Amino acid sequence: MRVCGIGDNVVDRYFNQKLMFPGGNAVNFAVHAQRGGMSAAYLGVIGTDSDGDLIRSSLQAEGVELKHLRVKEGPNAFATVHMDDDGNNRKWGLCEKGVSIFNLDSADLEYISGFDLVHTGETSQLDGQLPEIRERVPISFDFSDRDLDYAASVLPFVKIAAFSRAGADEAEIACVLDFAHSAGVELVTITQGARGATVSHKGEVLFAPAVAVDAVDTLGAGDAFVSRLACRILGGVSLAAAANDAAQYAAVICGTQGAFGHARPITREIPA
């Protein structure tokens, strides 16, 4: 089966470690899908700087298809990450979108019609094109921590939805699940930080506790869980087996620096 991550990419700059890593929700989904046995592609825009080169070279090393990758003159998107020694309590500093925001053209739309699933999210700012995309291929969408007022206009076009609700109580989790399924979503994931995740597929609901791990870096663990779960369900695996596999894989990513590795030294000036 073929899946495609569409939209944002970003270089995460860990200035306290003097390292930078490739990432971004759509990129992460594609990489984790490829690692999970899918044939994965990424469609987005990178810059002409060293950050853009890191995105491209890392995706190439992972075997992700880049037939519709665009390169635009200018800086790549980046985010500044400050992390404690336990891999937690990250604080975000300066972030810039660079050249990453774009619209799909007719050739892109024809290209994605050859996939079984595409994944994008609220950071990619492609909401206005979701109807066109949905006419061609099922959509997985990451809402992050956006509220249900925002989600209401997006969910009707979505087959698979992911939400982030660290600290949410059972009532809020149930509300999100009901809201998403009522809009026609088949698979819903609600990641709940270090606790784990609540998942629901066509009415079957279960909680997948996080696997205990000595975390090196928790960045991207949620994306890893969401991608692995979606791909396993797409492949016909039961919800319980898919959730267990996703939790195990997310734990592996917690033991990896960056969203999925591929560290490169930062050579630019480190901000105060």
Side-chain angles (χ1 to χ4, degrees):
M1 290 190 174
R2 283 168 54 76
V3 302
C4 183
I6 302 175
D8 66 318
N9 69 80
V10 68
V11 166
D12 295 313
R13 300 174 178 175
Y14 289 54
F15 279 107
N16 59 332
Q17 298 182 21
K18 300 182 181 179
L19 295 172
M20 60 183 186
F21 301 87
N25 182 255
V27 165
N28 295 345
F29 190 95
V31 167
H32 298 314
Q34 183 74 21
R35 288 182 177 182
M38 293 288 181
S39 174
Y42 171 68
L43 194 166
V45 183
I46 61 173
T48 49
D49 56 5
S50 60
D51 288 0
D53 177 70
L54 176 59
I55 296 292
R56 175 166 48 191
S57 63
S58 300
L59 288 169
Q60 288 173 332
E62 293 286 344
V64 174
E65 181 178 297
L66 300 176
K67 289 182 179 178
H68 279 241
L69 180 69
R70 304 179 191 177
V71 181
K72 185 176 180 180
E73 184 69 33
N76 204 83
F78 73 88
T80 307
V81 183
H82 300 281
M83 186 181 67
D84 68 15
D85 292 336
D86 296 322
N88 297 302
N89 300 320
R90 297 184 311 276
K91 292 187 292 185
W92 297 92
L94 181 64
C95 301
E96 296 289 348
K97 287 290 187 180
V99 298
S100 66
I101 301 304
F102 72 107
N103 286 315
L104 301 172
D105 60 25
S106 58
D108 295 328
L109 291 168
E110 181 180 358
Y111 171 66
I112 64 173
S113 66
F115 289 86
D116 298 291
L117 182 75
V118 298
H119 177 86
T120 189
E122 54 93 21
T123 57
S124 295
Q125 300 182 24
L126 290 169
D127 298 12
Q129 291 197 283
L130 292 178
E132 294 177 282
I133 297 171
R134 185 64 187 90
E135 288 177 358
R136 294 162 173 83
V137 59
I139 299 172
S140 167
F141 195 95
D142 196 309
F143 291 88
S144 187
D145 58 0
R146 296 292 295 271
D147 61 31
L148 296 183
D149 286 340
Y150 166 78
S153 63
V154 175
L155 285 169
F157 304 105
V158 172
K159 180 177 182 178
I160 298 173
F163 298 86
S164 176
R165 291 293 188 273
D169 59 21
E170 291 184 9
E172 183 178 357
I173 297 299
C175 179
V176 173
L177 291 179
D178 182 64
F179 195 85
H181 283 309
S182 295
V185 177
E186 292 185 8
L187 174 64
V188 184
T189 301
I190 306 176
T191 55
Q192 297 168 251
R195 288 191 60 222
T198 298
V199 297
S200 178
H201 183 231
K202 297 182 178 179
E204 180 186 1
V205 182
L206 61 83
F207 179 73
V211 175
V213 63
D214 291 327
V216 172
D217 184 357
T218 60
L219 179 67
D223 290 347
F225 184 95
V226 168
S227 179
R228 180 59 62 91
L229 180 77
C231 291
R232 289 292 181 261
I233 293 294
L234 191 64
V237 175
S238 72
L239 182 62
N244 179 67
D245 187 12
Q248 295 287 342
Y249 182 60
V252 171
I253 295 303
C254 285
T256 303
Q257 284 186 298
F260 56 91
H262 299 276
R264 182 178 291 183
I266 294 176
T267 57
R268 57 179 53 82
E269 181 180 352
I270 298 176

